[in-house]
Amino acid sequence: MNRWFIISILLMIFLASCEKDQIGRYDLERYVYFTMTEEQDTVLAFSKYVGAESYDLYFEVNLMGQLLTTPLAFKLAVVDTLTTASPEQYDFDTQPLFGANQDKDTIKVTLKKTPALKDKEDTLTIAVVANENFNPGFEGKRYIKIRFNDKDAAPLWWDDTFKIYFGDYSRVKLDALIACIGITDFTGVEEPLLRKYAIELKKYIKDNNITDNGKEIIIPVN
């Protein structure tokens, strides 16, 4: 009797193992889920991308199940209860195609700058929902959350090297720089040219009597 009991236990373990191994690999269902977890917020500040009226973000999605032989559409939808952004602030394909013969793909979400973002931060939450081709995959990876604003902040290129020539960031200084030089993105500009621009900005500020709320604007080059 002990022998049959042991055989029964081993058979149950084997069947359970096979069932677990088949999930997403050999069953007829296919699932799509995000690489990012639902606890990982993506944050975008438009102020860091001077002159940009919109910005594209890309998110990786994964396939669980048999690979596709032809591309098939999966479904995305806004989670209203976790979203404060209005429809005119974003754009994305609600029926993107998952590519054939691959287990990863990418979706694009376009965020749009609005005047209200200068005073507040909005949230956009997008989820994978079921359609005729796919079901949502792993719990905890079924939606992504994006927080975005246009609150005053230094652009990404206003780094330590940039500060050597232009000093600390301020909005008034940035506006004067753009008006003086006519450039909105200084990414990759070499230091000799940065020094030239800084000297031009210093003269521009002096010639036009520009202050920052009555305070002198410091440009630390001679």
Side-chain angles (χ1 to χ4, degrees):
M1 182 171 181
N2 288 340
R3 178 186 175 189
W4 288 111
F5 178 75
I6 293 172
I7 291 174
S8 298
I9 293 296
L10 292 175
L11 182 61
M12 290 173 62
I13 293 173
F14 173 76
L15 291 174
S17 175
C18 289
E19 182 179 356
K20 182 178 180 181
D21 187 60
Q22 287 176 357
I23 294 175
R25 291 177 60 189
Y26 301 108
D27 63 5
L28 297 179
E29 297 292 333
R30 291 188 176 97
Y31 307 83
V32 170
Y33 61 95
F34 290 102
T35 297
M36 291 183 62
T37 68
E38 294 167 8
E39 289 76 26
Q40 294 175 289
D41 291 1
T42 298
V43 181
L44 173 74
F46 273 104
S47 56
K48 293 186 177 295
Y49 303 93
V50 180
E53 295 300 317
S54 64
Y55 194 85
D56 294 336
L57 294 172
Y58 296 87
F59 298 91
E60 187 177 69
V61 290
N62 303 270
L63 170 67
M64 182 167 63
Q66 291 184 340
L67 297 182
L68 304 173
T69 55
T70 59
L72 288 177
F74 59 100
K75 187 174 181 180
L76 299 172
V78 173
V79 182
D80 292 333
T81 56
L82 297 175
T83 295
T84 61
S86 55
E88 64 267 18
Q89 291 179 281
Y90 59 82
D91 186 36
F92 65 92
D93 188 351
T94 60
Q95 296 278 352
L97 293 176
F98 204 108
N101 301 310
Q102 60 192 55
D103 61 2
K104 295 183 184 296
D105 213 319
T106 304
I107 67 162
K108 180 178 77 171
V109 179
T110 301
L111 301 177
K112 302 176 182 180
K113 185 168 68 174
T114 58
L117 291 174
K118 288 189 175 296
D119 302 315
K120 67 169 185 171
E121 181 174 79
D122 275 321
T123 301
L124 171 63
T125 305
I126 301 171
V128 177
V129 295
N131 69 355
E132 66 275 14
N133 300 319
F134 301 94
N135 286 314
F138 292 118
E139 290 188 13
K141 292 191 172 186
R142 294 180 177 179
Y143 66 75
I144 51 170
K145 186 185 293 183
I146 308 166
R147 296 187 287 117
F148 58 109
N149 62 71
D150 190 27
K151 296 177 181 178
D152 190 27
L156 292 177
W157 40 260
W158 202 299
D159 55 16
D160 289 341
T161 300
F162 201 84
K163 287 180 182 179
I164 294 173
Y165 302 96
F166 294 89
D168 291 334
Y169 166 82
S170 76
R171 184 70 211 191
V172 174
K173 189 184 293 186
L174 174 62
D175 290 342
L177 175 62
I178 294 171
C180 174
I181 307 301
I183 298 175
T184 59
D185 187 353
F186 290 80
T187 302
V189 177
E190 298 292 336
E191 290 192 51
L193 194 52
L194 287 180
R195 177 177 174 78
K196 176 179 179 294
Y197 288 157
I199 292 171
E200 291 178 12
L201 176 61
K202 191 170 188 175
K203 183 177 184 301
Y204 179 86
I205 290 171
K206 181 180 179 181
D207 291 347
N208 290 276
N209 298 312
I210 300 173
T211 64
D212 193 345
N213 292 322
K215 296 181 180 179
E216 181 185 3
I217 299 175
I218 304 298
I219 306 296
V221 294
N222 297 310

